Amino acid sequence: MVDTILDIRGLTTRFATPRGVAKALDTVNLTVGQGDALAVVGESGCGKTVLALSILGLIPDPPGRVTEGQALFQGRDLLRMSEQELQAIRGNKISMIFQEPMTSLNPVFRVGRQIAEPLMLHRGMNETEALEQAEELLDQVGIPHPHMRVRSFPHELSGGMRQRVMIAMALACEPDLLLADEPTTALDVTIQAQIMNLLAELRERTGASGMLISHDLGVVAGFSNRVAVMYAGRIVELASTVGLYAEPLHPYTQGLFHSLPRPPGKKSGITALTPIPGAVPGIFDRPAGCTFHPRCRRAFARCRGQEPPLFDLGNGRSVRCWLHETTPPAVESQDKA
Amino acid sequence: MNDSKPTILHIEQLQKHYPVRGGLFGTRQGLVRAVNGLDLNLRQGETMGLVGESGCGKSTLARLVLGLEAPTAGTLLLKSKPLHQWDQPELRRTVQMIFQDPYSSLNPRWKIGSIIREPLDILGQGPASERKDKAARILERVGLRPDDLARYPHEFSGGQRQRVAIARALAPEPELVVCDEPVSALDVSIRAQVLNLLHELQQDFGLTYLFISHDLSVIGHLCDRVAVMYLGRIVELASKQNFFIAPLHPYARALLTAVPVADPTATIRPMPLRGDLPSPLNPPQGCSFHPRCPHCMEICTRETPLLQKKTTGHSVACWLHQSPPTSHSPTPNRRNDK
C-alpha cells in the first residue's frame, strides 16, 4: 500500500446565504496516495472547486466555513493550522493551478517576478537567484525564449502560454501535491493536449502527487489513476480509473458516459445520445433520500426515502447507491473506528 | 448523399479585414485578416460543422453569414442572391442564430414569452394572439412548459436557457441557423439533451445548420460535413466519415490527435503540434500553417495552397496533397462585391 499524502475525512463545508445555510460539501472522504493522480469529476455545482478551496483554507469566511472534518496533509490537519502555518505550505508543499490563467496572474507584474515570488518567500532566495530560477522554470514548461519571456507581462502572452506560466509558478517550489482545478477548460484542444502532456511529464519527473478537478472524462482518462465522481456535494463513486471506465457502477456515472458523443463510425446518420433527464438540483432543492433519485432511471422506493451510504465493494471501489448494497462496511464508519 | 440538394449558402473567396488603428492620429497600423479568402458551400438540410482554434475567424464568419458585418471582398450568396441585396426582415426570417452563452444572450428583464415573441413581433408575422400561441407551441417543442412564458430567464438553468434561445431562433421559422458554440457552456449531461433536441428540430423543420464548435466529439456526433478553419481559410472540407477516418491536412490530423479519449487504456499519442495559432494581424507567408507543420516543405513557405478536391466529397488545401504550380502561382479572386 502506498503512503497517503492527503487524507480527507468527513469534510463538510457550508455557506451562509440569505436563503439559509447551504451545504456545498457533505461528509467527503478521500485519500491521495504518494505519487497518485486522483481526479475529481462532476458537473458544475457539485462541489469540486469548493473541495479544492476547502483543502487549501481558501474558502472566503464569511460566508463559507468548513464546519466538520479533517484534511490531513502528510499527517497534519490543514484545517486546524493558523493562517501563518498554511502560508508556509501553500505554494510550497501544495500548489494549485486555477482554471482561468487570465485572472489568476497579476496583470501589473512581469511573469518572471510572479514566478520568483514563491521562491523568495519559501526558499529564501534573493531576487537575482529567483529570477534565474524563474527563467529555468519557463524553459521547463516549454516556453520559447525564456530569457525574454521573464520580462513579459501577462497580457503579452496567449492563453496557453499563461497557463504554462501558472504551471511554472506552481512547480517553483517542487510541491509534494499539485492541485489543478480545470486547468485546460479555457484552452483550445491542441493547447489542452500540450498542457496535459506537460503536466503528466512533470509529475513523472518530480514524483509529485496530483489532484485534478475536471468535468471532462477524456482529460481525466489520460491523467489519473483514481477517480472520485461527485454529485450534489457528495462523492457517489470512487474507483480506479481503469475500473471506472471499464464498468461505471453508479447510475449517475453511467449517465455521464452515455451522454458522451461517440466518435463516428463508418456509417452515416446520427444515433441519439442518452442524456440524463432533468438537471442538477439547486443547493436548496436537493431532494430527500438519494440526491440523484429524481433523475435516476433505476430508482425504487428506498431511494426516495433513505440516502444510501458509500458502500465499499473492495479493490478500492465504493458506490453510493442502493443497487450495490453490501453488508454495511461504509467508509464513514470505518474511519471513525 | 446530400449532393442532389440545392445550395442554400455559397461562399467564395470571402474576406473580412479589420483595420487596427492606433497612434496619435488614429492612423492605420495594420490589418487583421479575420476571414481571408474562404470558400464554403452549404446544402439545404445539412449540418456543416466548422472547427478551428480560437482566433481562427469562426465567429467572424458567423457574423458575415448573418449579415451583421459586411465582407471586405468576396461573394456571399444566400439562396443564390447576394446577401447585401436581401432586405433586413426577410434576411432575419431566413437566417437565425444561437449563441454560446445563454446567460448573456437573453435579456434578464424580459419574460420568456416576450423574448420568444420578439422576432415574430418585429417581423410582423400574423396577429398578436397568433404570435402568442406560436410562442407557446415552440416553447413546448423545445421541452419547456407553456406557463414558462411568464417567467424570467434567471428562473431557469443553463440548459433550459439554451432551450429558450433555441425557441427564439426557431420562432420565425428560419431555413438556415448559425449555431456558434451552442453547447460549449453546458454540462455533459445537459449538453447531450440539447444536442438531441437540435437534431430532432432539424428533422422536424428541415433546417440547415452552420454549426461552429471547437469540440470535435460534438461535431462528429451532429454534423454531416466538417470544414476545418485555420487563420481565416478553410484548409479541409470533408464528409464526417472521411474526416474522422482519413483526415488529410496535417492540422486536421493534429486536431483529431488532440481530442482527449475517454479511455484510460488508450495509448497517449504525442501531440504533433507545437506553439500557438499565429496572429491574424501578421499571418505567415505561404501556407499559414507552415510554422507549426511537422511536414513543412520549401514550397509551403512561399506559396499558399488553395482548397482542391482530392476525392469525392473531400477537399484539402495542402501541398502534400496537390502538385505545386508549374508556371505561375494561382492568383486569388479579388472581386469586390460591394
Side-chain angles (χ1 to χ4, degrees):
Chain A
M1 193 64 197
V2 281
D3 285 345
T4 303
I5 183 161
L6 181 68
D7 189 356
I8 301 168
R9 299 181 183 176
L11 193 66
T12 303
T13 303
R14 291 182 166 88
F15 285 85
T17 75
R19 281 184 67 186
V21 175
K23 224 185 205 180
L25 271 191
D26 193 350
T27 355
V28 168
N29 293 292
L30 261 185
T31 56
V32 182
Q34 186 74 51
D36 254 0
L38 172 80
V40 179
V41 182
E43 298 180 286
S44 28
C46 74
K48 307 182 296 267
T49 300
V50 173
L51 173 62
L53 296 178
S54 298
I55 295 168
L56 290 171
L58 292 175
I59 294 286
D61 178 11
R65 182 166 292 176
V66 180
T67 53
E68 283 148 58
Q70 295 174 295
L72 302 171
F73 173 69
Q74 297 176 330
R76 297 166 63 206
D77 191 354
L78 295 168
L79 305 180
R80 276 172 191 69
M81 282 183 192
S82 66
E83 188 55 31
Q84 220 171 6
E85 286 173 293
L86 268 177
Q87 276 179 8
I89 287 183
R90 278 195 304 244
N92 186 17
K93 302 243 180 225
I94 306 180
S95 52
M96 180 145 177
I97 301 167
F98 295 94
Q99 172 171 352
E100 277 290 336
M102 309 280 192
T103 50
S104 40
L105 288 171
N106 191 328
V108 301
F109 288 108
R110 298 180 197 276
V111 297
R113 170 73 224 224
Q114 297 190 53
I115 300 170
E117 190 187 335
L119 289 166
M120 288 152 65
L121 199 68
H122 297 299
R123 291 288 145 99
M125 287 187 185
N126 65 38
E127 194 168 340
T128 325
E129 290 168 341
L131 281 172
E132 260 168 46
Q133 182 68 25
E135 205 178 304
E136 166 70 32
L137 284 160
L138 284 178
D139 190 43
Q140 277 184 34
V141 296
I143 289 187
H145 316 301
H147 55 286
M148 282 160 65
R149 284 304 178 196
V150 284
R151 299 198 44 81
S152 297
F153 286 100
H155 74 264
E156 299 174 280
L157 305 176
S158 67
M161 296 261 259
R162 280 185 210 146
Q163 199 57 299
R164 283 171 195 267
V165 170
M166 280 298 296
I167 293 174
M169 205 189 295
L171 292 172
C173 292
E174 295 164 6
D176 297 322
L177 178 66
L178 187 63
L179 288 179
D181 186 3
E182 305 265 13
T184 56
T185 305
L187 307 174
D188 278 313
V189 272
T190 53
I191 311 298
Q192 164 171 289
Q194 291 172 6
I195 297 284
M196 291 314 294
N197 285 355
L198 173 69
L199 277 179
E201 191 189 301
L202 291 171
R203 234 177 42 73
E204 204 159 291
R205 203 164 70 213
T206 61
S209 311
M211 183 164 151
L212 170 76
I213 291 170
S214 180
H215 69 280
D216 188 326
L217 288 165
V219 168
V220 165
F223 176 86
S224 64
N225 56 357
R226 274 164 57 74
V227 183
V229 183
M230 288 190 72
Y231 187 78
R234 281 178 167 281
I235 290 177
V236 296
E237 184 159 4
L238 198 57
S240 73
T241 308
V242 176
L244 188 88
Y245 282 68
E247 193 194 5
L249 293 178
H250 196 282
Y252 174 64
T253 320
Q254 293 170 349
L256 284 181
F257 278 102
H258 288 147
S259 302
L260 289 182
R262 246 165 285 264
K266 287 219 162 40
K267 65 175 176 47
S268 60
I270 293 157
T271 38
L273 299 167
T274 322
I276 305 172
V280 180
I283 200 158
F284 292 107
D285 311 316
R286 287 183 184 161
C290 170
T291 43
F292 185 62
H293 86 257
R295 305 177 73 191
C296 183
R297 287 166 210 278
R298 301 175 67 188
F300 53 102
R302 189 169 192 182
C303 308
R304 286 179 269 277
Q306 202 178 353
E307 189 178 11
L310 204 53
F311 294 112
D312 190 348
L313 309 183
N315 282 331
R317 183 149 209 185
S318 20
V319 186
R320 189 184 296 279
C321 177
W322 288 119
L323 292 170
H324 297 278
E325 186 176 4
T326 47
T327 31
V331 179
E332 283 99 328
S333 58
Q334 261 185 350
D335 272 347
K336 272 168 197 144
Chain B
M1 87 210 118
N2 268 330
D3 282 344
S4 51
K5 294 276 177 64
T7 295
I8 183 165
L9 186 71
H10 177 79
I11 301 173
E12 208 179 298
Q13 284 301 315
L14 192 69
Q15 287 186 3
K16 177 68 192 177
H17 295 176
Y18 295 96
V20 180
R21 290 181 194 282
L24 184 58
F25 301 105
T27 46
R28 208 173 84 177
Q29 309 274 301
L31 214 51
V32 174
R33 296 173 170 86
V35 171
N36 196 18
L38 182 138
D39 300 313
L40 197 63
N41 252 306
L42 255 74
R43 303 183 197 116
Q44 200 103 46
E46 78 170 339
T47 302
M48 171 70 80
L50 187 66
V51 278
E53 292 172 280
S54 32
C56 74
K58 301 186 300 262
S59 294
T60 303
L61 177 64
R63 295 178 63 82
L64 290 169
V65 170
L66 291 164
L68 298 175
E69 303 261 4
T72 316
T75 313
L76 187 56
L77 302 178
L78 179 66
K79 298 174 88 182
S80 311
K81 182 170 152 189
L83 201 75
H84 66 267
Q85 285 176 17
W86 283 71
D87 62 63
Q88 271 297 316
E90 193 53 24
L91 176 65
R92 220 21 92 234
R93 202 196 63 71
T94 313
V95 187
Q96 278 287 332
M97 57 252 154
I98 301 166
F99 295 105
Q100 170 170 1
D101 182 5
Y103 288 85
S104 55
S105 63
L106 303 178
N107 188 333
R109 292 163 196 271
W110 283 23
K111 288 182 179 164
I112 301 303
S114 317
I115 290 174
I116 297 178
R117 235 177 28 244
E118 190 192 17
L120 301 175
D121 292 345
I122 290 173
L123 299 173
Q125 289 183 350
S129 63
E130 210 170 280
R131 296 201 288 262
K132 212 171 165 182
D133 283 353
K134 192 171 180 184
R137 273 203 311 280
I138 189 90
L139 197 64
E140 239 181 318
R141 184 62 197 79
V142 298
L144 296 172
R145 292 192 313 271
D147 47 325
D148 289 336
L149 286 171
R151 295 168 70 194
Y152 287 96
H154 74 262
E155 298 174 62
F156 295 88
S157 66
Q160 289 172 319
R161 285 180 208 216
Q162 201 58 309
R163 287 173 192 269
V164 172
I166 292 171
R168 174 179 61 186
L170 296 190
E173 296 174 27
E175 293 173 56
L176 172 64
V177 182
V178 177
C179 311
D180 192 355
E181 304 268 12
V183 295
S184 304
L186 305 177
D187 269 319
V188 184
S189 69
I190 308 300
R191 192 173 70 184
Q193 294 173 3
V194 173
L195 284 175
N196 279 350
L197 176 68
L198 284 170
H199 182 57
E200 288 163 26
L201 293 170
Q202 179 173 42
Q203 305 285 302
D204 292 3
F205 296 99
L207 300 169
T208 309
Y209 287 142
L210 177 60
F211 194 94
I212 298 175
S213 179
H214 67 279
D215 187 337
L216 277 168
S217 64
V218 169
I219 294 270
H221 176 71
L222 198 68
C223 299
D224 302 305
R225 290 199 293 158
V226 183
V228 183
M229 196 163 172
Y230 192 80
L231 277 189
R233 283 199 181 87
I234 302 295
V235 295
E236 181 156 355
L237 178 66
S239 71
K240 178 171 77 182
Q241 286 72 34
N242 280 343
F243 176 74
F244 279 91
I245 293 162
L248 293 174
H249 199 283
Y251 178 62
R253 287 194 215 140
L255 277 183
L256 280 166
T257 310
V259 176
V261 188
D263 178 4
T265 58
T267 44
I268 296 179
R269 291 163 297 182
M271 183 61 213
L273 212 63
R274 299 196 62 85
D276 295 327
L277 195 72
S279 161
L281 192 62
N282 190 13
Q285 279 278 312
C287 170
S288 53
F289 183 60
H290 86 257
R292 301 172 79 189
C293 184
H295 306 286
C296 179
M297 300 175 294
E298 196 271 326
I299 184 165
C300 308
T301 61
R302 285 188 288 114
E303 305 276 348
T304 308
L306 294 183
L307 193 63
Q308 278 180 13
K309 188 170 266 191
K310 181 82 179 158
T311 56
T312 321
H314 204 157
S315 307
V316 65
C318 177
W319 290 122
L320 284 176
H321 300 283
Q322 47 197 257
S323 47
T326 43
S327 53
H328 64 287
S329 61
T331 39
N333 183 351
R334 293 209 181 274
R335 230 179 332 149
N336 197 328
D337 262 29
K338 285 196 78 177

